[in-house]
Amino acid sequence: MKIFEHPDKFIQRHIGPSSEDFSEMLSIIGVDSVETLVSETIPLQIRLQSQLDIEESVTEYRFLENLKKIAGKNKVFKSYIGLGYYPVRTPGVIQRNILENPGWYTQYTPYQAEISQGRLEALINFQTAVIDLTGLPVANASLLDEGTAAAEAMSMFFSARKNKNAKKFFASEECFPQTIDVLKTRSRSIGIDLIIADHKKINLDESFFGLLVQYPAENGEIYDYNELFREAHEKNIFTAAAADLLSLALFTPPGEIGADAAVGNTQRFGIPMGYGGPHAAYFAVKEEFKRIIPGRIIGASVDVHGKLAFRMALQTREQHIRREKATSNICTAQVLLAVMAGMYAVYHGPSGIKAIAERIHKLTKLLDMALTELGFRQLNKNYFDTLRIAYGDKQLTVIIKENALSKEINLRYFVNGDIGISLNEVTDFQDVLSLISVFAESILKKADKNKIISLSEKININIPENLKRKTQYLQHPVFNKYHSETEMLRYLKHLENKDLSLTHSMIPLGSCTMKLNASTEMAPITWIEFSDIHPFAPTDQAAGYLEFFNILENDLAEITGFDSVSLQPNSGAQGEYTGLLVIKEYHRSRGEDKRNVVLIPSSAHGTNPASAVMAGMKVVIINSTEKGYIDLNDLKKKAEENKDVLAALMVTYPSTNGVFEESISEICDVIHKYSGQVYMDGANMNAQVGLTSPAKIGADICHINLHKTFCIPHGGGGPGMGPIAAAEHLSPFLPNHSIINLGHSKGITAVSSAPWGSANILLISYAYIKMMGPTGLTNASIAAIVNANYIKARLEPYFKVLYTGEKGRIAHELIFDTRSFKQTAGIEVEDIAKRLMDYGFHAPTVSFPVPGTLMVEPTESESKEELDRFCDALISIYKEIKEIETGIADPSDNVLKNSPHTVYEAASDQWKHIYSREKAVFPTAWTRNNKFWPSVGRINNAYGDRNLVCSCNLITDYVEELA
């Protein structure tokens, strides 16, 4: 009964404006009701006629109670499965002050470097740790997972190969099976012949362009790859090693055995397993690849005052800029996890990292000695943490497995009956005793503790010389300074204070949806029932995960209007890629392999062309009209021209121009007429949920940016998730996995290392949907539309709105055209973006999708007060531009051209500008009490690209004359 409903509704916490605010906002917009505004925004023919069929909302407290019951269905066993995933200890100071801290997890990708110096420095630390440990000179700021990183290495080598006739890529059969699966997916897409075989027997010739080995191998053996790499280089074959980063504290780094690239996972550096993720993959290369390395590199430069400043280097490599010429579609990195991994290295330092590695290795040797004493045969000659045990009796393996499970222990079981055991940072002497007992009792013996203790006293680390690491690592002061918790805490806070996040003000980035990431949504990700489960544990130990996966899949299917959902893609761009592969496989199943053309409107999301190229498809661009709509005539013409080879249309809806296409249903019909499929990019689902759906507009498949519409925080540039939802005829082709059976009858091979991608953070979106319910989700979409149109109404007297719908409305975002100011005042869009920092705001999206513009998306979570403050700031900047136009302000020495202003500049004895300090740094009353100070002035990007430095250097290294 309504009278007994709890008054504290989560929806009231999530949606910023009050009902009174909405009334005032609608009046300023010029409509009499929310329904009127929505009807003038979304075409009537695609409106949903009924409420979403999902569970009604629950309070935050009831949600956590319910989820605790689900969590209790998971069984947290001690897992020694290995295969790239290991139990860890996350230092409390890192968990509490980074992972659980909104000052870190609500940051945006550091495109505006002046207000992102904290996380940029943290990422430089990460890159330095990777560079030092791998022995290679260049590293990026993380990739999605190890399998993706390996696939990116293969693609990079393919693009850089000297012999363009070489089509073969060799992968050792001793690589992780999930990595091989992802390699199969990528190689098939772009015409690479993947050869999987024994690296000890492979006959390399000029038909190969690259190779990949696992180091240590998946069974734990450590091989000397010097000769293999030497032979490969003699034949112009590039080499890559997928290396365990922690093992490199003891063993020869890949760069010292001739690897051109090293890839892998940094999960062992303090990141919980989380049933598969999220984790930050690493990618390091030789100098010759630095301008084609996938993903983002953080580099050092200087600001306008000559001060050291960090920024994203070589940004022209970004896929949304290069579009169909891109060699990668990497969009979401794993920044939050990379920051944590880098800080793990900072916290422990070189001696601590080495001590952790040595301890694991010693315990592994002890286990080896004890099992050998029991009569078991250990097959690995050289190893770090993994043993392969043989006894020659498969029936005994069954007994050992039953015995292990009874003691809540997971081991790895090979098809031939061998058993794998991978130790980890969490393993202690008592755990080793338990493992020995499992094997001893299985052959009716008993583990002798005293004998094992005596064995432990005989252990020495005697790594063969050809495998032993002889070079130092982590020598920079940052890795040797912050080892007490007090100092580490202060360092983390020092960096956090340099970054603007949602804890300071709204982040109005169009196409990025920076909304509330509620504390209750975040809480479960650190529960051990979810965080400490191995992704390849028996599925009956993950019953809680499987239960909420099923509910989340059903809810997302209902929201999109489709039949089924795959949760595997762990970024939005990877979701695009996966969706296109599903479409390709569907056409292939019908004998229509020739269908490889994708039509992509110029108004589509920026990753679309890059994803299409990665999927092995040919891109044909569809023009936009002057009003920002898809040019229907151009679409019909190009669909007809390509009717026999048409695979799909990729359409972003509402478009990246911020409008709902009135003719979207007709657009979809055109594609279906020629047997093509419609892929809808879900980047702008925040204007759709509960009001319309991808299925309703006529699409066949879509991805969903859970880090946008469904509240997974951006984390400074990642993690993200991009699950795909598909119509019934495409559902059988959703991705499978090489280790866990996902049950898709005709499914493509995996796109991610883990079966459900970054499973742990799916809890966040699950929480959001459960606490919002059908009414709350719909009202969120409505509020996003109201907030955007309110900004439009307030600012269009000052800034031209580039595109609107037929009735003058915009969706959840809009584009302001600032190009005229270049002619009238010499002011570029970048000047406006940097000046907003002085007002305490992150800039909107700059020069995308249209150069010289600002794309603004307020989201539903921002209050009217905050929207007004943002509007007032832009109006004030407009007046500052007018001062330049009228001659009141100097055309070169003005607050816009010199922004942002730092506290060092403002407090200097010498003030070099003709305007006042107060005008520069306190432009509003609000900033006097809530000032966010950019830590550096405007950064010299060109200098940073000419002098690329992507690791920690001493400050004296940067004291150079600017070119």
Side-chain angles (χ1 to χ4, degrees):
M1 295 176 62
K2 199 160 188 176
I3 191 171
F4 297 121
E5 284 185 1
H6 199 289
D8 190 8
K9 297 269 189 176
F10 176 73
I11 185 174
Q12 298 164 344
R13 309 295 185 189
H14 180 80
I15 295 178
S18 65
S19 56
E20 294 79 12
D21 290 334
F22 279 128
S23 296
E24 185 178 342
M25 293 162 73
L26 291 170
S27 176
I28 292 171
I29 293 169
V31 292
D32 57 3
S33 68
V34 163
E35 182 52 43
T36 299
L37 176 61
V38 173
S39 66
E40 292 179 358
T41 303
I42 304 178
L44 182 62
Q45 67 271 22
I46 62 166
R47 287 286 302 277
L48 296 178
Q49 301 304 308
S50 59
Q51 181 175 272
L52 292 171
D53 185 18
I54 61 176
E55 293 177 329
E56 291 296 328
S57 64
V58 296
T59 65
E60 296 174 66
Y61 309 105
R62 181 55 56 86
F63 167 75
L64 291 175
E65 286 176 0
N66 294 342
L67 188 61
K68 266 294 181 186
K69 294 175 184 175
I70 293 175
K73 297 177 183 179
N74 288 330
K75 301 172 185 176
V76 183
F77 285 17
K78 288 185 180 293
S79 285
Y80 304 98
I81 299 169
L83 289 176
Y85 300 94
Y86 308 87
V88 297
R89 298 199 189 281
T90 306
V93 66
I94 293 176
Q95 176 172 318
R96 187 170 182 84
N97 294 286
I98 298 179
L99 179 59
E100 298 175 349
N101 181 358
W104 282 96
Y105 67 67
T106 67
Q107 303 160 350
Y108 183 62
T109 303
Y111 288 117
Q112 297 295 337
E114 293 83 357
I115 51 175
S116 307
Q117 287 298 295
R119 100 201 65 144
L120 288 167
E121 181 174 329
L123 290 173
I124 282 280
N125 294 345
F126 172 84
Q127 290 178 179
T128 304
V130 170
I131 286 168
D132 283 2
L133 287 166
T134 62
L136 289 160
V138 180
N140 68 15
S142 79
L143 292 178
L144 300 175
D145 57 31
E146 183 165 336
T148 303
E152 290 292 340
M154 177 178 67
S155 298
M156 182 185 74
F157 291 162
F158 189 55
S159 176
R161 69 196 192 280
K162 299 176 178 67
N163 175 11
K164 297 303 179 183
N165 293 319
K167 302 285 187 180
K168 292 180 182 177
F169 184 81
F170 169 72
S172 168
E173 62 188 10
E174 295 184 65
C175 289
F176 291 147
Q178 69 270 22
T179 297
I180 291 174
D181 214 26
V182 176
L183 288 173
K184 288 178 180 177
T185 308
R186 182 74 67 90
S187 61
R188 187 181 188 190
S189 302
I190 55 178
I192 292 172
D193 185 8
L194 181 65
I195 307 298
I196 303 163
D198 186 343
H199 75 269
K200 299 181 289 297
K201 299 177 182 177
I202 187 67
N203 181 26
L204 297 173
D205 57 37
E206 65 280 356
S207 65
F208 288 88
F209 66 87
L211 64 81
L212 174 75
V213 295
Q214 195 80 41
Y215 183 65
E218 54 89 28
N219 61 5
E221 182 71 53
I222 298 180
Y223 297 103
D224 183 348
Y225 293 116
N226 269 287
E227 183 61 27
L228 176 68
F229 286 5
R230 185 193 61 76
E231 179 190 351
H233 289 144
E234 287 177 354
K235 297 174 181 177
N236 291 319
I237 298 170
F238 297 122
T239 59
D244 182 316
L245 204 63
L246 186 59
S247 75
L248 301 182
L250 304 181
F251 293 88
T252 307
E256 293 180 19
I257 58 176
D260 295 298
V263 301
N265 202 338
T266 60
Q267 183 263 319
R268 299 193 87 153
F269 278 48
I271 315 299
M273 291 182 290
Y275 204 45
H279 309 127
Y282 74 82
F283 196 106
V285 296
K286 289 181 177 177
E287 282 277 348
E288 65 192 85
F289 299 100
K290 68 183 179 183
R291 295 188 182 273
I292 58 172
I293 186 173
R296 296 163 179 156
I297 301 176
I298 308 306
S301 187
V302 292
D303 75 355
V304 69
H305 309 295
K307 183 180 179 182
L308 172 65
F310 302 113
R311 28 80 74 180
M312 283 172 56
L314 308 173
Q315 285 192 44
T316 53
R317 298 172 311 110
E318 291 276 296
Q319 26 58 37
H320 68 268
I321 298 171
R322 299 194 66 195
R323 295 176 69 83
E324 64 268 22
K325 295 181 181 178
T327 55
S328 168
N329 76 333
I330 291 295
C331 183
T332 305
Q334 301 283 27
V335 170
L336 187 68
L337 296 315
V339 167
M340 290 176 65
M343 289 305 171
Y344 181 91
V346 170
Y347 187 59
H348 288 293
S351 59
I353 295 293
K354 185 176 183 180
I356 291 168
E358 286 183 340
R359 179 177 172 276
I360 293 171
H361 185 55
K362 286 178 180 178
L363 287 171
T364 309
K365 288 183 75 69
L366 174 61
L367 181 60
D368 181 7
M369 294 163 67
L371 293 181
T372 300
E373 288 260 333
L374 287 171
F376 291 92
R377 188 162 56 99
Q378 201 286 115
L379 302 182
N380 292 335
K381 179 182 178 182
N382 298 301
Y383 55 79
F384 168 53
D385 63 358
T386 299
L387 306 177
R388 182 165 180 166
I389 307 299
Y391 201 74
D393 183 351
K394 286 191 177 182
Q395 186 57 41
L396 179 61
T397 299
V398 173
I399 295 171
I400 291 172
K401 183 175 183 179
E402 290 174 351
N403 197 7
L405 290 173
S406 72
K407 297 178 185 295
E408 298 191 344
I409 290 173
N410 290 324
L411 304 174
R412 183 184 174 198
Y413 303 97
F414 291 85
V415 174
N416 70 348
D418 291 355
I419 297 174
I421 313 172
S422 295
L423 303 192
N424 53 74
E425 178 188 10
V426 176
T427 307
D428 58 21
F429 180 74
Q430 187 58 49
D431 293 323
V432 172
L433 282 178
S434 297
L435 286 166
I436 295 167
S437 296
V438 166
F439 284 82
E441 291 168 13
S442 299
I443 54 173
L444 304 179
K445 293 184 179 181
K446 190 173 182 180
D448 185 335
K449 182 177 179 179
N450 291 329
K451 190 172 185 179
I452 295 167
I453 290 173
S454 79
L455 283 175
S456 69
E457 294 169 352
K458 301 175 184 177
I459 292 174
N460 290 311
I461 294 182
N462 52 355
I463 298 169
E465 282 299 309
N466 63 319
L467 297 176
K468 184 189 297 184
R469 181 170 192 128
K470 302 178 182 68
T471 50
Q472 292 184 320
Y473 48 88
L474 305 182
Q475 295 302 294
H476 189 275
V478 74
F479 299 107
N480 295 277
K481 188 175 181 181
Y482 304 110
H483 298 159
S484 77
E485 180 158 339
T486 303
E487 289 302 316
M488 186 68 177
L489 174 67
R490 288 171 182 159
Y491 179 55
L492 295 177
K493 194 66 181 178
H494 166 70
L495 296 186
E496 180 192 342
N497 289 341
K498 294 182 178 185
D499 279 25
L500 188 144
S501 69
L502 282 176
T503 64
H504 298 96
S505 57
M506 71 181 286
I507 299 180
L509 286 146
S511 199
C512 296
T513 319
M514 298 293 294
K515 62 178 14 174
L516 172 69
N517 313 123
S519 300
T520 298
E521 295 162 5
M522 297 296 294
I525 67 171
T526 54
W527 295 356
I528 61 170
E529 298 95 329
F530 291 117
S531 64
D532 286 3
I533 296 184
H534 194 288
F536 306 144
T539 52
D540 63 356
Q541 294 174 23
Y545 258 116
L546 298 180
E547 180 175 331
F548 101 75
F549 287 162
N550 183 60
I551 297 170
L552 180 59
E553 288 174 2
N554 288 337
D555 286 349
L556 293 176
E558 170 65 16
I559 287 165
T560 59
F562 286 134
D563 176 70
S564 58
V565 170
S566 167
L567 299 173
Q568 190 174 119
N570 53 11
S571 82
Q574 193 174 87
E576 297 168 15
Y577 169 66
T578 307
L580 291 175
L581 293 183
V582 167
I583 289 172
K584 279 186 74 172
E585 195 63 24
Y586 166 74
H587 287 311
R588 187 179 286 118
S589 74
R590 292 156 55 88
E592 297 188 310
D593 302 53
K594 63 183 179 180
R595 292 191 175 271
N596 69 337
V597 168
V598 181
L599 306 183
I600 303 181
S602 60
S603 61
H605 202 244
T607 51
N608 288 182
S611 295
V613 169
M614 269 186 55
M617 294 183 167
K618 178 183 176 183
V619 174
V620 175
I621 300 297
I622 306 300
N623 297 329
S624 293
T625 67
E626 289 185 3
K627 292 185 177 181
Y629 295 133
I630 293 172
D631 186 329
L632 191 54
N633 290 329
D634 193 46
L635 175 80
K636 289 178 178 178
K637 174 175 174 289
K638 288 172 179 171
E640 168 67 29
E641 289 173 351
N642 293 281
K643 62 183 179 181
D644 294 329
V645 291
L646 179 62
L649 166 75
M650 295 187 82
V651 60
T652 306
Y653 199 73
S655 75
T656 307
N657 291 336
V659 294
F660 282 93
E661 304 273 354
E662 292 283 340
S663 59
I664 187 64
S665 297
E666 185 179 357
I667 288 168
C668 294
D669 288 343
V670 169
I671 302 304
H672 291 145
K673 174 184 174 183
Y674 297 111
S675 300
Q677 298 291 290
V678 176
Y679 178 92
M680 197 208 81
D681 184 309
N684 294 339
M685 280 286 291
N686 213 44
Q688 277 200 39
V689 179
L691 299 175
T692 184
S693 72
K696 186 68 174 178
I697 71 171
D700 301 287
I701 191 168
C702 74
H703 83 269
I704 310 152
N705 293 89
L706 297 186
H707 50 291
K708 295 184 179 183
T709 303
F710 294 94
C711 292
I712 292 176
H714 284 65
M721 280 291 276
I724 58 171
E728 185 176 7
H729 64 286
L730 295 178
S731 296
F733 305 98
L734 294 176
N736 281 315
H737 194 271
S738 60
I739 296 177
I740 303 295
N741 180 15
L742 300 180
H744 299 130
S745 60
K746 302 176 183 177
I748 62 171
T749 45
V751 295
S752 297
S753 290
W756 289 277
S758 297
N760 188 237
I761 56 170
L762 291 170
L763 288 160
I764 300 166
S765 298
Y766 175 75
Y768 173 67
I769 293 171
K770 293 299 111 186
M771 293 189 296
M772 290 293 278
T775 302
L777 292 172
T778 304
N779 287 348
S781 300
I782 292 171
I785 291 170
V786 172
N787 282 2
N789 279 279
Y790 177 68
I791 285 180
K792 172 181 176 290
R794 281 216 58 198
L795 291 179
E796 64 183 339
Y798 309 95
F799 298 91
K800 177 185 175 183
V801 177
L802 196 56
Y803 302 117
T804 63
E806 291 292 335
K807 296 179 181 175
R809 306 301 177 198
I810 47 97
H812 63 309
E813 63 187 6
L814 69 161
I815 299 173
F816 289 117
D817 190 349
T818 63
R819 290 172 290 189
S820 63
F821 300 132
K822 183 174 183 179
Q823 282 71 47
T824 61
I827 293 299
E828 307 269 4
V829 66
E830 183 184 28
D831 299 322
I832 299 173
K834 303 305 182 188
R835 180 57 174 158
L836 271 168
M837 297 177 190
D838 290 329
Y839 285 81
F841 284 105
H842 196 292
T845 302
V846 174
S847 289
F848 177 81
V850 181
T853 64
L854 292 170
M855 183 163 59
V856 178
E857 180 180 356
T859 84
E860 71 276 10
S861 294
E862 298 300 341
S863 66
K864 179 178 178 297
E865 180 182 15
E866 184 73 354
L867 299 180
D868 283 333
R869 195 169 71 81
F870 173 70
C871 291
D872 291 344
L874 275 177
I875 291 168
S876 179
I877 290 173
Y878 173 83
K879 292 176 181 177
E880 291 170 351
I881 295 171
K882 285 296 172 186
E883 288 177 355
I884 301 170
E885 291 177 349
T886 57
I888 296 173
D890 186 85
S892 57
D893 186 21
N894 58 68
V895 290
L896 283 106
K897 284 295 182 185
N898 296 320
S899 60
H901 299 83
T902 67
V903 66
Y904 311 103
E905 186 181 11
S908 172
D909 290 338
Q910 294 182 329
W911 180 253
K912 301 177 181 179
H913 307 300
I914 58 177
Y915 50 88
S916 71
R917 299 175 199 246
E918 182 179 32
K919 184 178 181 69
V921 302
F922 296 129
T924 61
W926 187 89
T927 53
R928 292 187 182 91
N929 295 316
N930 300 276
K931 181 65 180 177
F932 177 85
W933 290 99
S935 57
V936 296
R938 199 173 300 195
I939 295 173
N940 188 328
N941 291 324
Y943 175 82
D945 284 348
R946 289 195 307 270
N947 303 275
L948 180 64
V949 177
C950 65
S951 61
C952 298
N953 285 40
L954 298 174
I955 291 177
T956 52
D957 293 348
Y958 300 98
V959 182
E960 301 179 33
E961 290 295 322
L962 298 187

